[in-house]
């Protein structure tokens, strides 16, 4: 069947109707089926569809389409008002493209008007859509037929098309903007017409320039829409030549100019290569548009991200490159007699000059801008030009644009200008004209060296840093460009002068970093090698960033062939620095310590060596420099693979077993203990072919307790460093490997051995206290390792710990030492038994004040609210778990006090576990609160007689102090900021100032006066239980918890405690004679309360607490007690240590010296001068140190 027969129904639909409305309806009905529609479109595309068919089809369509569009039948009736209003706004335009109201411009296109098409308009729009589709299919037909001819001739000529097709295309093109007011259906028709116009342009048909004036704005709008894609930008890029057809000087295209300027603000354009090509091409359209685009980009630079700024640089580079190429091609192909060619060349030349003008503006701003951030962004934009400096054209461009101002800027009065200019000088060296000869180049080099020398000796330290950076950059990139003398002079300034610059740590750090950068250039090695030792002393610089730069330089030397890092910094200095990083820096895992560990790792733990050699070096390191070794093993666990760390841990535990076995063998030669069956062959870690290490294991003996303690400590450190990794199922093999050696029986055997060694027994007792302390540290470290013992292997160790606690509790109270029992107690916290331990401690403390429900330290008669508290405490005491033994109450208080005061790992573990568990800390606070009630009764004189014994009073005061410290830790553990003084703290201040101090003064002036302490109730001051903790600050040194709460992290209460030696010597205990008078006892109790208050509020201020003014005003009232005199009690001497400490804290944290002045005015004529001088000297030392 012929094509004509297939098209019969289509011809009938558009030709045999008397009215065009019926033809419209017939065509729409015919094309409503997608199957029929596609069939007709394919027929039109086929080669069988010839010109006669086309003339018949499009002739009929033209008549109908002219009537439909001419009568505006496609516009819905309810859209006429909105349409004419939009048309009026769009026709107004604007003279200033920067003042265009974008929301008004885009409302008619980007937003869909609320229009509902009627039946007639809907059919008309469908007819327009199908007409556009048929014309586009016919254009594809023409292109396909001409493709073979063009391939043979290799010349692409414009395709001719019949007039009917042109007219239809023109009608549809002219209706594009009108379709905006036709609702959603109108936008769909608009897309079909846009596709037709694109096909007409891309097909290179005749008169294609006539059908792009409406197309370009719509394509731009689509790319600027929020739903635009890369494909939309690609479609606009294909139409880039059409942009040249528009006269951008005409005011009528102001709206189009505004759309073009919006492209530089679109991230879709900037982040895609096609989009950047489009923007760069916009620079070629008109000279005025170049400046406008440049202004738009400048507005985006300050807020652009680091990833976007370089993309703007790529746009400028592409724009200049395209303009330069077009200018060269026009100049090369031009004819002097051709006026049009001259005009075209002039236009291209003016565009290139405009682009270079805006580039020079950027260059000038990069040098003279005040903001360092902005200067960096501008240099980043210009970097594409700097990177292409080897291109002669670019080299000449940089010379022409920078020369007018750069050399002058290098000696400007403003240091920021000199700094910015130095960065540009480094990037553009040599700043020369490539068309001139070597004489010009030498002049440029000499001028550059002169400028660099001036920068290196600049008065501003930032300019010296910039000069060093520029010098290093130039030397590294063009080492051979400068003379030997110039290189020597520049390096001498950097290494000799800058490295010793005491006025700026940044200059010293940059000197080291610069030399490190020069090492990347092999040609510099010969000159630098003899100069590097001059930088070695910087390893001990007081500023961390300088030390870190020095260590990084050593790491670079370690990896560079021909250099030895220990020739720059001797090994002894490296070890000293490593040890100092653990003592003088807050964290042993700081950046310098970590870098030093990486530097020395191959020396002390070579991964490729056999285990015996690894252990030989490890033992030598631990024995010769234990402090450095501690820092080393604190970091090595984070740098090695977990398998290597696991092997080292196993070697450590085997070494301890070997030492115990040898010690047992020497002590009991005839009665060898089978439980220590470890032989010396196990020392090399299952490596039976290892070297003979007989001479290396001579130091592995139990009597070398210092080495053993270091081994145990570092083994624990390594275990903690990989603890989180061991929980990963992938590392289950490493965990099993460790648990095979760290068993309950192994820990027990080693601990028992060193316990016996410290007290005698079958072994010779250690004569030195330090050796005994080493044994205690060994046991503490090993017990902390019990965290990694298998759960089903803990029974024996648990029973041993219970026995040790029970045996220790039976010792006399005079032999109790919290530091000795804390390691045993910490194991239960490692096993997550903190609630059991806290319950046992709270019951034991409660038993001091309650016995068989009879009060020991309190009167029989109590108020109802205290009775409830008493019953609560008794019930807790009866709920002691079977899994943990009860300890004596005094020992429990000693344990709590030691935990709150201590700074070792065991104390930190227990303290953090207690304060993080609300149940545990509440139980302890409930028990310790009872001591405050007992203290109240002592002051009031209503307690029983046996409470007047010295030990009982000291125990109560210790419990009160522990209560205050624990309350403060609980408050400090919270995450709220700032630390405001709570109502309980203010109540304590007010009570001491307005009640306690005036009352004791009145009592001393009149012995028969009524007791002023009957209303004293410390439990009201510090409420606990379900209420908030009253004590806001810890009296103990806050070593770890809570670091985030500390406002002044460089000053901690522990620093204060170590400064006042005399105060610590007293131990916080207050001596009260058994037969002292009641007034004397009351005064001593008030003195004890003031000592605690001074420590309490002093530590509160040290950790950043608020309320300094209120505290100072109240303390001035407390000082009135210094005038009190009682036989046997020297108030000034008792309070002076804590008062001096408090005054020093006030002077440091609040910058208030009023209390310090009052301290100077105190009368110490009755006290010994030596003690006074000691306390005052300690206070002044603290003030000066902080």
């Amino acid at each position: 069947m012929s094509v004509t027969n297939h098209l019969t129904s289509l011809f009938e639909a558009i030709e045999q109707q008397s009215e065009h409305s019926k033809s419209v309806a017939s065509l729409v009905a015919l094309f409503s089926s997608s199957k029929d529609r596609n069939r007709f479109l394919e027929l039109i595309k086929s080669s069988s569809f010839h010109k006669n068919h086309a003339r018949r089809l499009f002739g009929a369509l033209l008549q109908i389409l002219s009537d439909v569009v001419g009568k505006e039948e496609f516009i819905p009736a309810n859209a006429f008002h909105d349409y004419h209003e939009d048309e009026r706004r769009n026709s107004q335009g604007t003279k200033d493209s920067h003042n265009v109201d974008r929301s008004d411009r885009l409302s008619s296109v980007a937003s869909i008007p609320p229009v509902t098409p009627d039946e007639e308009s809907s059919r008309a729009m469908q007819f327009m859509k199908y007409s556009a589709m048929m014309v586009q299919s016919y254009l594809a037909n023409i292109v396909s037929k001409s493709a073979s001819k063009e391939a043979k001739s290799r010349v692409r000529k414009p395709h001719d098309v019949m007039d009917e097709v042109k007219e239809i295309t023109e009608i549809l093109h002219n209706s594009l903007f009108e379709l905006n007011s036709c609702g959603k259906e109108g936008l769909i028709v608009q897309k079909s017409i846009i596709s037709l116009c694109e096909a007409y342009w891309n097909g290179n048909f005749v008169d294609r320039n006539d059908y792009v004036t409406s197309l370009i704005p719509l394509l731009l709008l689509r790319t600027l829409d929020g739903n635009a894609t890369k494909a939309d930008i690609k479609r606009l890029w294909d139409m880039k030549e059409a942009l040249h057809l528009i006269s951008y000087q005409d005011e009528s295209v102001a709206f189009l100019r505004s759309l073009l300027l919006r492209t530089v603000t679109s991230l879709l354009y900037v982040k895609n290569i096609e989009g950047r090509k489009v923007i760069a091409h916009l620079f070629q359209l008109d000279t005025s548009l170049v400046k406008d685009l440049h202004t738009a980009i400048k507005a985006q630079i300050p807020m652009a991200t680091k990833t976007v700024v370089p993309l703007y640089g790529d746009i400028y580079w592409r724009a200049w490159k395209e303009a330069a190429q077009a200018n060269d091609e026009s100049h090369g192909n031009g004819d002097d007699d051709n006026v049009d060619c001259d005009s075209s060349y002039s236009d291209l030349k003016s565009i290139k000059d405009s682009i270079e003008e805006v580039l020079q503006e950027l260059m000038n701003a990069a040098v003279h801008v005040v903001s360092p951030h902005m200067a960096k962004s501008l240099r980043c934009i210009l970097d594409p030009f700097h990177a292409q400096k080897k291109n002669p054209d670019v080299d000449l461009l940089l010379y022409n644009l920078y020369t007018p101002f750069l050399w002058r800027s290098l000696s400007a009065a403003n240091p920021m200008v000199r700094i910015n200019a130095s960065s540009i000088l480094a990037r553009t060296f040599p700043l020369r004209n490539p068309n001139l000869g070597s004489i010009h180049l030498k002049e440029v080099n000499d001028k550059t060296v002169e400028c660099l020398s001036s920068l290196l000796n600049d008065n501003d330290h930032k300019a010296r840093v910039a000069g060093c950076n520029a010098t290093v950059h130039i030397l590294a990139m063009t080492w051979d460009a400068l003379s030997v003398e110039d290189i020597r002079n520049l390096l001498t300034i950097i290494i000799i002068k800058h490295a010793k610059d005491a006025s700026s740590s940044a200059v010293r750090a940059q000197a080291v970093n610069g030399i490190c950068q020069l090492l990347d250039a092999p040609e510099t090695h010969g000159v630098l090698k003899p100069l590097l030792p001059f930088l070695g002393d910087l390893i001990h610089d007081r500023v961390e960033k300088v030390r870190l730069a020095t260590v990084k330089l050593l790491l670079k030397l370690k990896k560079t062939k021909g250099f030895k890092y220990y020739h720059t910094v001797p090994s002894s200095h490296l070890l000293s620095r490593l040890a100092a990083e653990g003592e003088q820096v807050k964290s042993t895992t700081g950046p310098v310590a970590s870098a030093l560990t990486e530097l020395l790792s191959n020396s002390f733990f070579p991964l490729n060596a056999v285990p015996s050699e690894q252990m030989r070096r490890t033992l030598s390191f631990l024995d010769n420099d234990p402090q450095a070794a501690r820092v080393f093993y604190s970091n090595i666990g984070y740098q090695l693979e977990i398998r290597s760390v696991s092997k080292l841990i196993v070697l450590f535990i085997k070494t301890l077993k070997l030492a115990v076995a040898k010690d047992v063998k020497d002590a009991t030669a005839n009665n060898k203990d089978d439980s220590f069956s470890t032989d010396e062959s196990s020392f090399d870690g299952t490596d039976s072919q290892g070297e003979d290490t007989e001479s290396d294991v001579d130091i592995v003996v139990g009597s070398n307790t210092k080495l053993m303690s270091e081994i145990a400590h570092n083994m624990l450190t390594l275990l903690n460093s990989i603890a989180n990794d061991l929980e990963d199922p992938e590392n289950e093999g490493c965990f099993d490997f460790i648990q095979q050696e760290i068993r309950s029986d192994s820990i027990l055997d080693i601990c028992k051995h060193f316990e016996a060694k410290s007290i005698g027994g079958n072994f010779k007792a250690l004569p030195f206290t330090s050796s005994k302390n080493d044994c205690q540290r060994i046991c503490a470290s090993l017990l902390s390792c019990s965290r990694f013992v298998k759960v089903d292997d803990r029974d024996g160790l648990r029973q041993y710990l219970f026995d040790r606690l029970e045996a220790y509790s039976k010792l006399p109270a005079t032999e109790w030492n919290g530091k000795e029992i804390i390691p045993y107690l910490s194991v239960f916290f490692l096993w997550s038994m903190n609630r059991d331990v806290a319950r046992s401690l709270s019951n034991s403390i409660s038993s001091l004040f309650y016995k068989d429900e009879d009060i020991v330290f309190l009167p029989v008669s109590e108020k109802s609210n205290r009775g409830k508290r008493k019953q609560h405490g008794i019930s807790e005491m009866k709920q002691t778990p079977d899994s943990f033994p009860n300890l004596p109450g005094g020992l429990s208080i000693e344990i709590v006090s030691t935990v709150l005061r201590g700074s070792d790992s065991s104390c930190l573990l227990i303290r953090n576990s207690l304060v993080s568990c609300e149940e545990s800390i509440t139980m302890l606070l409930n028990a310790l609160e009872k001591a405050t009630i007992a203290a109240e009764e002592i002051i009031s004189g209503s307690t029983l007689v046996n409470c007047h014994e010295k030990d009982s009073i000291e125990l109560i005061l210790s419990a009160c102090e522990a209560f205050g410290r624990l309350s403060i830790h609980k408050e400090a553990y919270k995450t709220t900021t700032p630390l405001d003084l709570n109502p309980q703290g203010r109540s304590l201040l007010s009570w001491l100032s307005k009640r306690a101090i005036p009352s004791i003064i009145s009592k001393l002036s009149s012995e028969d006066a009524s007791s002023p302490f009957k209303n004293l109730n410390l439990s009201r001051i510090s409420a606990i239980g379900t209420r908030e903790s009253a004590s806001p600050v810890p009296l103990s040194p806050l070593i770890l918890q809570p670091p985030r709460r500390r406002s002044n992290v460089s000053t901690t209460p522990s620093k204060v405690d170590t400064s006042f030696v005399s105060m610590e010597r007293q131990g916080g205990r207050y001596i009260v004679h058994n037969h002292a008078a009641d007034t004397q006892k009351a005064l001593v109790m008030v003195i004890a309360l003031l000592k605690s208050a001074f420590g309490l509020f002093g530590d509160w201020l040290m950790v950043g607490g608020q309320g300094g003014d209120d505290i100072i005003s109240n303390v001035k009232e407390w000082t009135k007690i210094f005038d009190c005199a009682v036989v046997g009690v020297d108030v000034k001497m008792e309070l002076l240590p804590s008062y001096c400490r408090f005054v020093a804290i006030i002077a440091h944290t609040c910058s208030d010296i009023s209390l310090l002045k009052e301290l100077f005015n105190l009368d110490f004529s009755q006290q010994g001068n030596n003690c006074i001088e000691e306390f005052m000297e300690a206070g002044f030392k603290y003030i000066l140190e902080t």
Side-chain angles (χ1 to χ4, degrees), residues 599-656:
L599 179 69
L600 300 173
S601 59
N602 289 341
S603 299
F604 298 110
F605 192 72
L607 294 177
N608 297 327
V610 295
S612 58
E613 175 62 18
Q614 291 176 340
M615 204 61 201
R616 183 189 68 80
R617 297 194 185 191
T618 298
L619 293 176
S620 177
F621 188 22
L622 292 171
D623 192 45
N624 297 330
D625 205 332
Q627 289 295 102
R630 286 195 174 199
V631 181
F632 179 84
Y633 290 109
S634 296
N635 292 274
I636 196 68
Y638 299 102
Q639 298 179 3
L640 299 180
E641 293 184 356
I642 189 172
R643 293 175 59 86
S644 300
V645 179
S646 301
K647 291 179 180 179
L648 181 57
I649 293 171
V650 170
L651 289 176
F652 274 146
I653 191 67
K654 287 187 175 183
T655 303
L656 290 174

Side-chain angles (χ1 to χ4, degrees), residues 624-695:
N624 297 330
D625 205 332
Q627 289 295 102
R630 286 195 174 199
V631 181
F632 179 84
Y633 290 109
S634 296
N635 292 274
I636 196 68
Y638 299 102
Q639 298 179 3
L640 299 180
E641 293 184 356
I642 189 172
R643 293 175 59 86
S644 300
V645 179
S646 301
K647 291 179 180 179
L648 181 57
I649 293 171
V650 170
L651 289 176
F652 274 146
I653 191 67
K654 287 187 175 183
T655 303
L656 290 174
K657 291 180 181 180
L658 174 62
V660 171
K662 293 179 66 176
D663 216 16
V664 170
K665 182 178 179 181
D666 294 341
T668 57
N670 298 325
N671 188 15
K672 204 171 187 180
D673 190 352
D674 294 337
S675 63
F676 301 101
S677 59
T678 306
D679 55 17
E680 297 182 10
S681 63
S682 65
F683 174 72
D684 61 358
T686 69
D687 183 27
S688 60
Q689 298 179 355
E691 299 178 0
D692 183 16
T693 60
E694 187 65 30
S695 60

Side-chain angles (χ1 to χ4, degrees), residues 799-839:
Q799 187 59 45
Y800 165 75
L801 295 173
F802 287 163
D803 295 341
R804 290 295 298 154
L805 293 175
E806 184 178 356
Y808 200 86
S809 63
K810 294 179 180 179
L811 295 176
T814 55
E815 299 183 15
W816 288 343
N817 186 351
K819 292 183 179 180
E820 296 180 1
I821 198 172
I822 289 299
Y824 299 97
L825 206 63
S826 65
V827 177
F828 298 100
F829 287 88
L830 290 171
W831 291 345
S832 301
M833 296 177 61
N834 52 318
R835 290 181 176 81
D836 296 337
V837 177
R839 186 178 293 107

Side-chain angles (χ1 to χ4, degrees), residues 213-257:
T213 53
S214 298
L215 175 63
I216 295 299
L218 291 175
L219 288 178
L220 274 171
L221 283 170
R222 177 174 295 184
T223 60
L224 296 173
D225 184 73
N227 299 323
T229 62
K230 297 179 184 179
D232 295 326
I233 297 179
K234 180 65 169 59
R235 293 171 65 183
L236 180 62
W237 172 248
D238 294 337
M239 300 284 298
K240 62 182 181 297
E241 296 299 332
L243 295 171
H244 292 271
L245 302 176
I246 303 173
S247 176
Y248 295 95
Q249 303 292 340
D250 193 344
E251 294 182 359
S252 62
V253 298
F255 174 57
L256 178 60
R257 287 176 63 96

Side-chain angles (χ1 to χ4, degrees), residues 150 162 238 329 630 821 958 1152:
E150 292 179 354
M162 62 183 61
D238 294 337
E329 291 175 0
R630 286 195 174 199
I821 198 172
S958 296
D1152 190 306

Side-chain angles (χ1 to χ4, degrees), residues 696-966:
D696 301 329
V697 299
D698 289 342
I699 59 175
V700 184
V701 290
S703 59
N704 191 351
T705 55
K706 181 180 179 181
L707 176 61
M708 297 300 106
S709 67
E710 293 300 326
I711 292 175
H713 173 82
N714 289 296
M715 179 179 67
L716 175 61
T717 301
L718 290 172
L719 279 169
N720 290 332
S721 66
I722 64 172
N724 294 331
D725 295 332
L726 290 176
E727 297 177 359
D728 192 338
E730 295 181 358
N731 300 321
E732 184 177 357
C734 295
F735 201 2
D736 293 339
F737 179 63
I738 293 174
Q739 288 181 329
Q740 289 176 4
E741 295 297 333
I742 301 181
R743 301 189 304 271
S744 179
D745 56 347
S746 301
I747 294 176
L748 284 176
D749 291 341
I750 299 174
C751 287
K752 288 179 180 178
H753 175 79
F754 286 102
E755 284 178 358
K757 199 171 187 65
S758 63
I759 61 176
N762 295 331
F763 302 96
K764 182 178 180 181
L766 298 173
F768 301 108
T769 304
S770 60
S771 299
K772 295 180 180 179
N773 292 337
D774 289 336
C775 292
Q776 294 176 2
R777 285 194 290 268
I778 294 171
C779 295
S781 298
L782 287 172
L783 291 174
S784 297
C785 294
S786 61
R787 166 190 176 186
F788 302 92
V789 175
K790 293 181 179 180
V791 177
D792 55 1
D793 189 31
R794 295 176 179 176
D795 294 339
L797 184 56
R798 183 184 293 107
Q799 187 59 45
Y800 165 75
L801 295 173
F802 287 163
D803 295 341
R804 290 295 298 154
L805 293 175
E806 184 178 356
Y808 200 86
S809 63
K810 294 179 180 179
L811 295 176
T814 55
E815 299 183 15
W816 288 343
N817 186 351
K819 292 183 179 180
E820 296 180 1
I821 198 172
I822 289 299
Y824 299 97
L825 206 63
S826 65
V827 177
F828 298 100
F829 287 88
L830 290 171
W831 291 345
S832 301
M833 296 177 61
N834 52 318
R835 290 181 176 81
D836 296 337
V837 177
R839 186 178 293 107
S840 177
L841 293 176
S842 61
N843 291 339
S844 300
I845 295 172
S846 297
S847 67
L848 285 175
F849 311 104
Y850 298 89
K851 185 176 182 181
D852 296 332
E853 302 188 11
D854 292 330
I855 302 175
V856 177
F857 291 145
L858 297 182
V860 177
S861 61
E862 287 190 292
K863 296 180 181 180
S864 58
N865 61 338
R866 295 187 190 171
K868 293 180 181 179
R869 216 164 29 236
K870 178 187 74 173
Q871 295 174 5
H872 180 63
I874 295 173
S875 63
E876 285 185 348
M877 181 180 65
K878 291 182 179 180
Q879 293 175 1
T880 303
D882 297 334
S883 59
F884 193 87
N886 281 330
L887 302 175
L891 179 59
S892 298
I893 293 176
E894 176 71 20
I895 290 172
V896 175
S897 300
T898 304
V899 167
L900 295 175
R901 190 188 301 271
S903 59
D904 59 278
S905 58
S906 298
C907 291
L908 295 176
L909 169 66
I910 297 175
R911 187 161 69 233
N912 293 336
S913 299
L914 287 176
V915 298
S916 62
C917 179
E918 183 68 23
E919 180 182 352
S920 299
I921 196 172
T922 301
M923 286 189 293
L924 283 175
L925 287 173
N926 284 334
L928 292 170
E929 183 189 23
K930 299 174 178 59
T932 64
I933 302 174
E936 173 190 349
E937 299 299 336
I938 291 177
I939 295 175
S940 63
S942 60
T943 187
L944 299 180
V945 178
N946 60 351
C947 76
H948 290 279
E949 296 178 358
K950 179 183 68 174
D951 293 339
S952 300
I953 294 177
E954 292 177 359
L955 200 59
I956 292 173
L957 293 175
S958 296
C960 290
E961 182 183 10
F963 173 75
R965 293 185 179 185
L966 192 59

Side-chain angles (χ1 to χ4, degrees), residues 80-346:
F80 273 98
H81 174 74
D82 294 335
Y83 168 74
H84 289 299
E85 181 66 21
D86 292 342
E87 185 182 47
R88 184 185 62 80
R89 280 203 309 268
N90 292 335
S91 63
Q92 287 179 353
T94 180
K95 295 182 180 180
D96 187 358
S97 62
H98 298 291
N99 295 329
V100 175
D101 188 345
R102 292 175 179 173
S103 61
D104 290 344
R105 294 295 188 185
L106 300 179
S107 60
S108 62
V109 178
S111 61
I112 301 174
V115 175
T116 303
D118 50 60
E119 183 178 358
E120 182 181 0
S121 63
S122 179
R123 282 199 303 267
M125 284 188 286
Q126 291 292 324
F127 181 82
M128 295 171 65
K129 175 183 175 182
Y130 298 146
S131 298
M133 295 172 68
M134 286 187 283
V135 172
Q136 185 174 354
S137 297
Y138 179 65
L139 295 178
N141 184 351
I142 296 175
V143 172
S144 63
K145 291 179 179 178
S146 304
S148 58
K149 298 179 180 179
E150 292 179 354
K152 294 179 180 180
S153 62
R154 296 182 181 181
V155 177
R156 188 184 182 191
K157 296 180 180 180
H159 299 145
D160 193 12
V161 67
M162 62 183 61
D163 294 338
E164 291 83 353
V165 173
K166 289 191 220 179
E167 293 179 14
I168 292 175
T169 304
E170 183 178 3
I171 292 173
L172 293 174
H173 170 264
N174 294 337
S175 64
L176 279 173
F177 283 117
E178 296 176 348
L179 288 168
N180 290 329
S181 59
C182 298
K184 293 182 179 180
E185 192 171 351
L187 296 180
I188 296 174
V189 177
Q190 187 183 69
K191 290 181 181 179
S192 299
I193 299 175
I194 289 175
S195 180
L196 166 63
C197 294
E198 287 182 281
Y200 201 97
W201 174 271
N202 296 326
N204 195 23
F205 290 94
V206 293
D207 299 332
R208 65 174 184 170
N209 297 348
D210 298 337
Y211 313 124
V212 295
T213 53
S214 298
L215 175 63
I216 295 299
L218 291 175
L219 288 178
L220 274 171
L221 283 170
R222 177 174 295 184
T223 60
L224 296 173
D225 184 73
N227 299 323
T229 62
K230 297 179 184 179
D232 295 326
I233 297 179
K234 180 65 169 59
R235 293 171 65 183
L236 180 62
W237 172 248
D238 294 337
M239 300 284 298
K240 62 182 181 297
E241 296 299 332
L243 295 171
H244 292 271
L245 302 176
I246 303 173
S247 176
Y248 295 95
Q249 303 292 340
D250 193 344
E251 294 182 359
S252 62
V253 298
F255 174 57
L256 178 60
R257 287 176 63 96
S258 69
L259 295 179
L260 295 175
L261 296 180
R262 283 187 58 194
T263 58
V264 302
T265 66
S266 171
L267 291 179
L268 182 64
Y269 271 92
V270 177
K271 289 187 176 182
N272 290 285
I273 183 66
E274 299 293 343
R276 295 197 295 275
K277 288 180 180 180
V278 170
I279 298 176
H281 189 74
L282 297 181
F283 279 85
Q284 321 302 319
L285 301 180
D286 188 77
T287 54
S288 62
L289 195 59
V290 171
K291 296 179 180 179
D292 291 343
L293 288 169
H294 173 63
T295 302
I297 293 177
K298 285 195 302 181
Q300 303 300 316
I301 295 175
M303 303 302 295
T305 62
K306 293 181 180 179
T307 57
V308 173
V309 170
L311 302 179
Y312 284 118
D314 182 60
I315 291 173
Y316 278 108
W317 165 250
R318 290 178 181 276
W320 179 84
K321 186 178 179 181
E322 186 176 349
Q325 290 177 350
N327 185 71
D328 293 341
E329 291 175 0
S330 176
H331 181 66
N333 298 330
D335 187 355
D336 294 339
D337 297 332
N338 194 328
V339 178
D340 293 336
C341 290
D342 290 342
S343 176
S344 176
Y345 174 73
S346 177

